[in-house]
Amino acid sequence: MTLPRTALRTVARGRARRAAVAAFVVLAATVPMTAGAAGAPGTQAVDAALPYVCALPSGEQPATVRISATLPDRAAAGEPVRPADVTTTVELPERAVTDLTALGAAGVRAATRLTVGVAQGEAAAEATWRGGTEPVPLPPSGPLTLAATGDVPSVTGQGTHDLTFTAGSLTVDLAPSTADGGATDPASLAVPCRLADEAPDGGRLAAVPLGTDDAGGTESPSGSPSGEPPASGTPGQPGDDAPDRQGERAPEVAEPLPGGGTAQRAAPACEYDAEYPAGPMSLNAYITGYANVNKLDGAALIPPFCTLITQGEPQFEFLPDFSGATITQHSTADLWYGQRKRTPPFQATFLSFDFTPTKATMVLEQTGPMTIDSNGFTDFVFTSTDTYVRAPITLRVTALEVNGTPLDVGTTCRTRTSLASPEPEPEKYPGDHLILHGRGEQNIGEPATGYLLLSGGPLTGEVTIPAFTGCGTADGENLDRLLTASVSGPGNYVKQIQGQACFVSAEVLNPDECTEDGQPKKIPVAER
């Protein structure tokens, strides 16, 4: 990728200068590379009928889920495995028809989200197989059958362990409609389903053996999954075996892109303008992900939103013998939507008290400076970096429905203070704020893993949701206590995925990173 031109610290001539150049090269090589795909010699068919338990509005009911797909019967290490002809057929019991009919529905359209575990030895990752249906009329009696199809992520395995696929949790998003084609109230319903305990072989769907590398030798098998720093050692500094950890990666999951393109514009605008002009070090990137709500035993999907970033200049502190260097970088950022520092509105539906559908429309609003601090170490062969994003963010609720009945929350319903994460350095970073952490590792000349500011990746954290205030109207019910009792509390896990950043200040935009009008080309997909 093309990076901003940054000036390195003045160092001693000779070896010091060579070390600085090497460190800059390490930072520059942060874009994951995609291996070329070779043709598979044959295929194997997947056809599994699995028992599930689905939480309908009227209570939990058994369901049958049939999963069919075509996978290669063998692949090479580093070769993307692309499931094809994927269909997820959900057979919901007659009780589901009764529940939908009670809403006035005559038909329904469905979207499915099937979590598929992908593992190699002890290393594991998750992919989401999404599908959709055409409108289906409700049957007069008997079960409701919904056959959803769609493109699903490819998976690239490392080493020579078999690549195994195992079905996990399933969510069926229902959009019921009336006889005249109108929407019901509520207009949508999320039905969470779990794999039944008696599912054969734990829901295992298939295994794809991986062959040898291009040179004819056998690659070393993968070890435990990466993503978290080791339990011991100095943060940011690799141990003696640090370069070897690069091979202990989980399978890489790459979301499909419509029409064979590189980006789907299913996201709000993300560009600099007169209200927010770009500077010489400006980046922009999309972020999306999930945020758990412990009290509701569910997670809210935060759709892709725009972040405008001012990248700081990397600073290097070389060891006395120039065998390595620490790297620090301080950057700032802002959420940006509708000329304000916020996300677009998004909706989440939960089952309050395990049976009452509750739908909330929310916005995350930035109330102060957002900072991005990266701290790393490089020996000019292996680089590891820890990045901490700190942002004061309040949660505003703009609409609320309980069991289809709207409750007027007014125009000032929000958390009293910012979402708050445990802060390891409260004296340096005072006040309540959200903290997200990402760790990236890279051997020079190889793809990076984890999170880096430029190439993106997963950011995780834990937050306390504060009490709510201003919820309700002067002539209506005060809803502060209801929302506080239902939502507020500690220990809510957050996982956000940042996409590849676009360096909008480059003289020539990189077409792999940016659209022609200077927006990020990569729109990430949320991962649980």
Side-chain angles (χ1 to χ4, degrees):
M1 62 178 284
T2 303
L3 291 182
R5 296 181 178 178
T6 55
L8 301 178
R9 288 180 50 207
T10 302
V11 296
R13 294 183 176 88
R15 189 174 181 184
R17 183 178 300 276
R18 290 193 298 273
V21 172
F24 184 78
V25 170
V26 168
L27 282 181
T30 57
V31 182
M33 296 178 290
T34 303
T43 59
Q44 58 175 309
V46 176
D47 189 2
L50 300 173
Y52 274 76
V53 178
C54 296
L56 301 174
S58 56
E60 287 194 338
Q61 290 289 316
T64 299
V65 177
R66 181 176 293 277
I67 303 162
S68 61
T70 301
L71 289 166
D73 60 6
R74 177 170 292 276
E79 173 188 353
V81 173
R82 305 181 188 279
D85 304 323
V86 177
T87 301
T88 302
T89 302
V90 183
E91 185 179 286
L92 295 173
E94 189 171 4
R95 182 78 67 83
V97 178
T98 303
D99 290 347
L100 292 171
T101 302
L103 299 177
V108 66
R109 182 193 296 268
T112 58
R113 290 174 280 148
L114 175 66
T115 299
V116 176
V118 187
Q120 282 187 282
E122 298 298 322
E126 282 189 349
T128 301
W129 288 12
R130 293 177 172 84
T133 73
E134 294 299 320
V136 176
L138 297 183
S141 62
L144 172 63
T145 301
L146 304 165
T149 60
D151 294 331
V152 303
S154 64
V155 179
T156 302
Q158 313 294 326
T160 55
H161 282 302
D162 287 357
L163 194 62
T164 62
F165 294 79
T166 304
S169 61
L170 169 71
T171 300
V172 184
D173 297 310
L174 300 176
S177 57
T178 60
D180 59 3
T184 61
D185 187 10
S188 62
L189 181 65
V191 177
C193 304
R194 57 179 172 83
L195 189 69
D197 294 338
E198 65 269 21
D201 205 11
R204 181 177 168 121
L205 300 175
V208 178
L210 296 191
T212 57
D213 59 20
D214 294 338
T218 301
E219 295 190 28
S220 59
S222 300
S224 59
S226 63
E228 291 297 324
S232 60
T234 304
Q237 296 193 23
D240 295 337
D241 61 344
D244 294 337
R245 291 202 308 270
Q246 191 72 17
E248 298 176 356
R249 295 182 295 175
E252 296 179 357
V253 177
E255 290 293 328
L257 298 168
T262 56
Q264 178 184 12
R265 302 314 301 174
C270 189
E271 55 188 335
Y272 291 84
D273 54 24
E275 294 292 328
Y276 199 123
M281 299 291 285
S282 292
L283 310 170
N284 51 10
Y286 285 113
I287 302 177
T288 185
Y290 287 96
N292 284 3
V293 181
N294 282 349
K295 285 187 175 180
L296 295 176
D297 193 25
L301 170 64
I302 304 174
F305 58 90
C306 174
T307 307
L308 304 181
I309 304 168
T310 300
Q311 184 185 19
E313 179 180 323
Q315 303 292 319
F316 300 90
E317 187 70 34
F318 295 96
L319 298 181
D321 61 356
F322 296 102
S323 61
T326 59
I327 309 167
T328 58
Q329 185 180 32
H330 176 76
S331 304
T332 59
D334 287 315
L335 309 181
W336 196 246
Y337 175 75
Q339 308 300 319
R340 293 174 62 184
K341 296 179 182 181
R342 60 178 181 173
T343 68
F346 58 94
Q347 290 185 338
T349 300
F350 301 95
L351 291 177
S352 298
F353 310 110
D354 294 330
F355 67 88
T356 304
T358 302
K359 181 171 68 175
T361 303
M362 298 167 284
V363 175
L364 295 175
E365 296 183 334
Q366 181 180 338
T367 59
M370 181 189 301
T371 60
I372 306 173
D373 289 286
S374 299
N375 303 283
F377 180 85
T378 181
D379 60 7
F380 313 120
V381 175
F382 176 82
T383 300
S384 62
T385 304
D386 285 284
T387 299
Y388 293 88
V389 180
R390 291 177 169 88
I393 298 287
T394 58
L395 176 64
R396 179 181 293 274
V397 179
T398 62
L400 185 66
E401 289 184 8
V402 177
N403 203 22
T405 301
L407 299 180
D408 192 350
V409 296
T411 60
T412 60
C413 182
R414 60 174 178 83
T415 53
R416 289 183 180 274
T417 56
S418 169
L419 306 180
S421 299
E423 173 55 71
E425 300 180 85
E427 294 183 358
K428 185 176 181 180
Y429 302 101
D432 291 335
H433 46 262
L434 165 70
I435 302 178
L436 296 176
H437 169 255
R439 182 178 178 87
E441 295 182 346
Q442 184 176 34
N443 277 327
I444 191 167
E446 296 183 10
T449 61
Y451 176 85
L452 294 172
L453 176 61
L454 297 175
S455 57
L459 292 159
T460 60
E462 183 180 291
V463 298
T464 294
I465 302 175
F468 283 81
T469 185
C471 303
T473 59
D475 55 351
E477 183 180 2
N478 187 321
L479 301 175
D480 290 352
R481 289 186 177 182
L482 172 64
L483 283 169
T484 298
S486 302
V487 177
S488 300
N492 301 283
Y493 179 72
V494 179
K495 183 176 183 180
Q496 301 292 297
I497 306 296
Q498 179 198 309
Q500 167 72 53
C502 165
F503 174 43
V504 299
S505 300
E507 295 180 4
V508 178
L509 294 179
N510 187 333
D512 294 331
E513 302 170 2
C514 311
T515 62
E516 292 182 357
D517 57 351
Q519 299 190 64
K521 201 164 189 178
K522 175 63 176 178
I523 301 176
V525 175
E527 299 177 5
R528 290 187 183 273

